[in-house]
Amino acid sequence: MIKPFSIDIPQSTLDDLTARLENTRLPAALPGDDWDTGVPVSWLAELVDYWRTGYDWRAAEAELNAYPQFTTVIDDQQIHFLHVRSPEPDALPLILTHGWPGSVVEFLDLIGPLTDPASFGGVASDAFHLVIPSLPGFGFSGPVSKRGWTREQIGRTWARLMDRLGYERYGVQGGDIGGAVSPEVARAASDHVVGVHTNGGPSLPPFPLSDDELKTLTPLEQDRIARIGEFMQEEFGYIAIQSTRPQTLAYGLVDSPVGQLAWIMDKFRAWTHPMETLPDAIISRDRLLTNVMFYWLNGTAGSAALVGYAEQEPWGAHKENSGVPTAVLATAHDVAIRRYAERDNTITRWTDLDHGGHFAALEIPDVLLTDVRDFFRNLR
């Protein structure tokens, strides 16, 4: 059963948030108060003040509710999703999947151009019907009541969702966790998925590599392996915590909106491009805060960490190739390497960029839009 859904947060919940923000106890700044030790107090304090006095959740709520939303239960889990049909009757269905620390908010600026390209400078034949679900345990698809939400299981669930919606032929697209889930939809329903498009890559390169293998890589590929090494040394801590102690972490993030904000902003700063630019200079503060609200309002820090990281497979695990045509848009931040992605995927399009960060739909929506249109044009 599919039920219509509308976001309607009680005013008492928003009043509680305001009170918590007004009574925030910020930590003392560590020496230097810079990003080397985490989110700077000086920067976050300004964002907290804007959240309290300038941000308008009701405007964000209205923007989201302007699109048809629904819930359905699959494998005993509530799944929330946007379902926006194109005015073009021959549009290709496309399911878009976000990642962590993202949400369906990532895709808001793409809905119009993808569903109604003729109104946004495109051609009608590039139109898509969009299905944009919240990952299990995230946002209004959370929390979860059982374990086992692996990438493969989510892929099977998305295939069931598309079948429940009556779609026989469709494409899939995603980044981050969505970039790993999307090829799993193709593995679960290869007869129905016409193409897989990912930003960031459908799989990660093996790591570490031997010196002999490193010598066979191009300079660009060597740089990506080097950045994986830097990530493992300097940034892996959040994965270690979320994959082993998601419940312990949740107490602080579900109780403190500023804690939740800082936890997410740390990654938006690290993963937007260029990293030296503050995240709110790349993505608007309103979009950043609306995304954080999806975690705060639903109290899903723990379940998102569990599904996002505690259910992961080992790094570099081999996958069966679905045979479905697959495209990769690799931004300047990404570390995907074609020769390794081709082991498990049928790569038919690969684009390396010298700009753009991890959150392609938010940072470079026009580039992502063009790449998606170009890839699926001959697969309809």
Side-chain angles (χ1 to χ4, degrees), residues 59-314:
E61 189 178 70
E63 180 182 12
L64 286 155
N65 284 336
Y67 300 109
Q69 298 174 72
F70 303 87
T71 61
T72 192
V73 176
I74 303 177
D75 296 320
D76 300 320
Q77 176 65 40
Q78 174 170 291
I79 301 297
H80 160 257
F81 62 99
L82 282 66
H83 184 197
V84 187
R85 288 186 58 84
S86 170
E88 305 297 334
D90 296 328
L92 176 70
L94 179 68
I95 183 167
L96 303 174
T97 307
H98 65 86
W100 184 91
S103 66
V104 298
V105 173
E106 293 182 47
F107 299 113
L108 288 178
D109 292 334
L110 289 174
I111 292 176
L114 285 171
T115 58
D116 189 11
S119 296
F120 290 85
V123 295
S125 57
D126 283 333
F128 296 91
H129 299 307
L130 295 182
V131 178
I132 312 175
S134 296
L135 286 164
F138 288 67
F140 296 97
S141 288
V144 291
S145 59
K146 64 180 182 180
R147 298 291 300 265
W149 286 105
T150 62
R151 308 297 187 260
E152 293 90 342
Q153 178 58 40
I154 298 172
R156 290 191 291 268
T157 298
W158 279 191
R160 290 183 61 185
L161 174 61
M162 296 302 276
D163 179 66
R164 188 169 293 183
L165 291 171
Y167 291 133
E168 290 290 326
R169 296 179 71 256
Y170 54 89
V172 292
Q173 199 285 328
D176 191 74
I177 295 172
V181 166
S182 294
E184 295 300 340
V185 183
R187 293 184 179 102
S190 59
D191 292 341
H192 300 282
V193 177
V194 301
V196 176
H197 185 287
T198 72
N199 51 282
S203 56
L204 292 169
F207 184 85
L209 297 179
S210 68
D211 289 341
D212 288 341
E213 188 162 5
L214 278 171
K215 292 176 182 176
T216 70
L217 302 184
T218 67
L220 176 63
E221 293 169 340
Q222 290 176 353
D223 174 70
R224 289 178 178 176
I225 292 296
R227 286 192 287 114
I228 292 175
E230 293 170 0
F231 173 87
M232 300 296 282
Q233 181 68 29
E234 300 175 9
E235 284 195 62
F236 193 79
Y238 81 96
I239 293 180
I241 294 172
Q242 295 199 130
S243 63
T244 61
R245 294 295 184 271
Q247 186 67 74
T248 303
L249 176 66
Y251 290 107
L253 302 190
V254 170
D255 190 56
S256 168
V258 174
Q260 179 69 87
L261 176 66
W263 188 249
I264 290 178
M265 286 303 102
D266 186 85
K267 294 306 149 205
F268 268 86
R269 191 268 178 168
W271 298 346
T272 49
H273 184 83
M275 187 172 67
E276 294 75 20
T277 302
L278 293 173
D280 56 334
I282 298 173
I283 302 167
S284 75
R285 286 185 168 187
D286 288 335
R287 275 285 186 263
L288 291 172
L289 289 171
T290 298
N291 179 66
V292 170
M293 289 288 278
F294 263 62
Y295 289 81
W296 172 255
L297 293 172
N298 295 287
T300 50
S303 58
L306 176 74
V307 172
Y309 295 95
E311 310 283 25
Q312 282 194 102
E313 291 187 331

